[in-house]
Amino acid sequence: MPEPAVPSVRSASPAPPAPPTPPVSLAALLSREDLGLRQIAGPPAADVRVHWAHTSEMSDPYPYLLGGELLLTAGVHVPEAAGSGTYFDDYVARIVEAGGAALGFGLAPVHDTVPRALVAACEAYGLPLVEVPERTTFSGVARAVWQLMARARLAELRRISEAQQGLAAAASRPDPVPSVLRRLAGRLEGRAVLYGPEGTEIAAAGREPGGEVRRALEELARFVTGHASSTATDTVAGTRLAAYALGTGQGFVLGVAAPHRESGDHTIASVAAVLLSLLTGEHQSGTGAARSSALVRLLLGARREEVAPLLAGGGGEAHRWHVVHARPDAGTPDPVSASALGAALGSPLVDTAEEVVRVLVPVAGSAGTTSTTASSPSSPPAPQPGWVLGVSAAVGPAEWPAADVQAARALARARAVRAPLVRHGDRPALADLVPAGEAEAHARALLAPVAAVPALTETLRAWLSLHGSWDRTAVALSVHRNTVRQRIARCAALLETDLDDPDVRMELWFALRDPRPSG
């Protein structure tokens, strides 16, 4: 069938994207003893990169090549008089024009040897020519290429993973920005620079490049701050340059200069850019410094009321807060998911302890408050996909410990009734009519027989809150229902009372609502 020749259209179109796997060296393919391949023309195999393998018997394979292929042919298309004309020159020229990486010529079933004119043409055009023995099938060669590519991809992923871990560890050091730059420069064997909003060099690590490269990198950094593109690349004096606009909106830019570019380098540099975005954003907003100051003041004896303004901005006692306890629907929380939950709730004040995530959320609109994040809540915490939440009442800083207990109980009830969110009720109740001191004294006396065993008081509290349901209490406490039965029976014996009596249950519930007797 006739094949259209469209070199002008092809040369005008952008280069096709490379496959999602790194290329392999032709030398690695030639080293496979099971294939028995032999290079007979062209530049050294170590300098040749193969992106894929393709078989074609077309006399002009140009329209069907993407570039980077090891083109395999048995010479079916070669006419008998090809050696005396320009057939092989034209054939090889078209492969080179299409960007083919190498040519593999099979010795069967048409040809016993590789035509000399083909060898000469490959030498003239600088196209590697590989002899494929009769015993080796083209599908076997293609399979070997994919195996080598998969192996290279695995090595690349391992390299990226190790780099990510190293960069994350560097970001947690006391000097996070210089540490991240040093780790990035070491990984890329080059230079890493953080530029400030005015284009000035704030910090740098790695080998100092020449003046031409340094000026080009500075110009590239200015380019990304003045254009919509967040990244830009260039090559100057054989050095690969890249600039990444950091996502703080403050004009910070990460610049990278490396003598070579390996697969995965862009991903590694992007991870560093994200970390530096967080670090520079924290510095610009001041929230990180404020939270550190609040922690120091607490450790030195300051009251919670005094440090609350540092956590949410504004003034003093008028602040109101929710304490939220959360557990994922499945599995255990990790720091990343916990931070994402905090962001969704509008607060960076997140603590992950064992299986529960605790978040301290400022109430938007309370007197004196200002937003701590871009997503500060405009209403009480709402259900979050993939999480079960328990939310305390809105309280002042002095009441944070009590709100923590409220949120824990609300979470236990939410899990027991399989609800995505349960809020602590803050309506006035009969218990509020009794003076707090008298209520506390009565609760301590009533619960004294079981107060020494926290598991008993917690089980009794959960069991009463769930209307005496064995199954729901077992779910709430993450224990077996028989354990609940045994503990409740033990409570009844120690208290010397009938827990089936509604009056007894009511009195115990009023006593258990105060967290202090359970100590």
Side-chain angles (χ1 to χ4, degrees):
M1 113 182 141
E3 300 180 22
V6 286
S8 58
V9 175
R10 186 185 180 95
S11 60
S13 61
T21 52
V24 298
S25 169
L26 180 60
L29 192 63
L30 296 178
S31 66
R32 291 278 298 258
E33 295 183 358
D34 58 318
L35 299 177
L37 304 179
R38 184 172 67 94
Q39 183 177 359
I40 57 178
D47 299 334
V48 179
R49 295 291 181 267
V50 175
H51 285 275
W52 32 43
H54 176 65
T55 301
S56 174
E57 296 299 340
M58 309 300 292
S59 59
D60 182 11
Y62 179 99
Y64 309 100
L65 298 181
L66 295 175
E69 295 93 346
L70 168 61
L71 178 63
L72 300 170
T73 178
V76 176
H77 56 87
V78 178
E80 293 184 2
S84 58
T86 62
Y87 180 86
F88 285 120
D89 283 335
D90 297 338
Y91 177 70
V92 172
R94 294 290 277 171
I95 296 175
V96 172
E97 187 178 357
L103 176 64
F105 195 90
L107 297 185
V110 180
H111 298 269
D112 295 331
T113 60
V114 180
R116 292 182 179 179
L118 177 59
V119 177
C122 288
E123 284 287 2
Y125 285 92
L127 179 68
L129 177 60
V130 176
E131 179 186 85
V132 182
E134 182 178 355
R135 62 180 175 85
T136 302
T137 63
F138 288 172
S139 60
V141 175
R143 180 177 60 185
V145 170
W146 302 134
Q147 289 174 344
L148 290 171
M149 292 177 72
R151 196 174 303 162
R153 178 59 172 169
L154 180 61
E156 177 192 48
L157 293 176
R158 186 180 296 112
R159 175 172 175 263
I160 292 174
S161 176
E162 292 173 352
Q164 288 175 334
Q165 294 174 7
L167 290 169
S172 65
R173 290 176 57 87
D175 54 342
V177 170
S179 296
V180 169
L181 293 175
R182 285 195 299 269
R183 186 61 62 96
L184 177 62
R187 279 286 175 180
L188 303 185
E189 300 179 358
R191 180 80 166 174
V193 184
L194 176 64
Y195 296 100
E198 303 301 325
T200 57
E201 183 177 304
I202 296 177
R207 293 175 295 182
E208 178 76 29
E212 181 183 4
V213 173
R214 185 173 62 254
R215 288 189 295 271
L217 187 59
E218 293 172 354
E219 183 178 348
L220 202 63
R222 287 193 292 270
F223 175 82
V224 296
T225 57
H227 294 75
S229 175
S230 60
T231 62
T233 60
D234 197 2
T235 301
V236 175
T239 302
R240 303 294 183 91
L241 307 180
Y244 302 82
L246 304 188
T248 61
Q250 303 292 335
F252 288 93
V253 177
L254 169 64
V256 176
H260 51 77
R261 186 177 182 85
E262 299 291 340
S263 298
D265 283 356
H266 173 71
T267 301
I268 294 172
S270 297
V271 171
V274 171
L275 291 173
L276 291 171
S277 295
L278 295 174
L279 294 170
T280 54
E282 192 96 328
H283 171 74
Q284 282 292 310
S285 66
T287 57
R291 290 199 295 273
S292 297
S293 178
L295 175 60
V296 170
R297 294 188 190 186
L298 280 174
L299 293 174
L300 295 179
R303 296 183 304 150
R304 287 184 291 272
E305 295 88 336
E306 296 173 2
V307 302
L310 294 172
L311 299 177
E317 290 286 350
H319 283 297
R320 308 288 287 174
W321 303 75
H322 289 291
V323 176
V324 178
H325 281 215
R327 288 186 62 168
D329 288 338
T332 56
D334 58 78
V336 175
S337 62
S339 297
L341 174 65
L345 295 175
S347 174
L349 306 174
V350 180
D351 171 54
T352 303
E354 297 180 354
E355 298 181 347
V356 176
V357 175
R358 299 189 297 177
V359 187
L360 190 58
V361 182
V363 177
S366 62
T369 59
T370 58
S371 174
T372 57
T373 67
S375 58
S376 185
S378 58
S379 59
Q384 300 297 322
W387 293 89
V388 180
L389 306 182
V391 182
S392 76
V395 301
E399 301 170 279
W400 284 347
D404 189 46
V405 175
Q406 294 174 2
R409 294 177 184 171
L411 175 61
R413 183 167 181 80
R415 296 185 66 231
V417 300
R418 294 179 171 82
L421 182 147
V422 168
R423 305 182 193 278
H424 175 78
D426 55 358
R427 296 178 302 170
L430 290 174
D432 298 325
L433 302 177
V434 181
E438 295 181 18
E440 180 182 349
H442 176 71
R444 288 188 180 278
L446 181 61
L447 297 172
V450 296
V453 185
L456 293 182
T457 54
E458 194 60 33
T459 301
L460 181 59
R461 180 185 291 113
W463 183 72
L464 290 173
S465 72
L466 297 170
H467 312 291
S469 171
W470 309 108
D471 291 332
R472 289 184 175 182
T473 304
V475 171
L477 299 177
S478 299
V479 298
H480 195 276
R481 66 195 306 269
N482 289 342
T483 302
V484 176
R485 289 182 178 274
Q486 293 168 3
R487 290 179 182 176
I488 296 300
R490 180 65 174 159
C491 289
L494 292 173
L495 295 170
E496 298 181 351
T497 188
D498 180 10
L499 294 182
D500 290 330
D501 187 329
D503 290 333
V504 172
R505 290 193 182 191
M506 180 182 66
E507 187 176 9
L508 287 171
W509 175 246
F510 284 150
L512 285 164
R513 289 187 64 188
D514 188 331
R516 288 167 291 185
S518 62

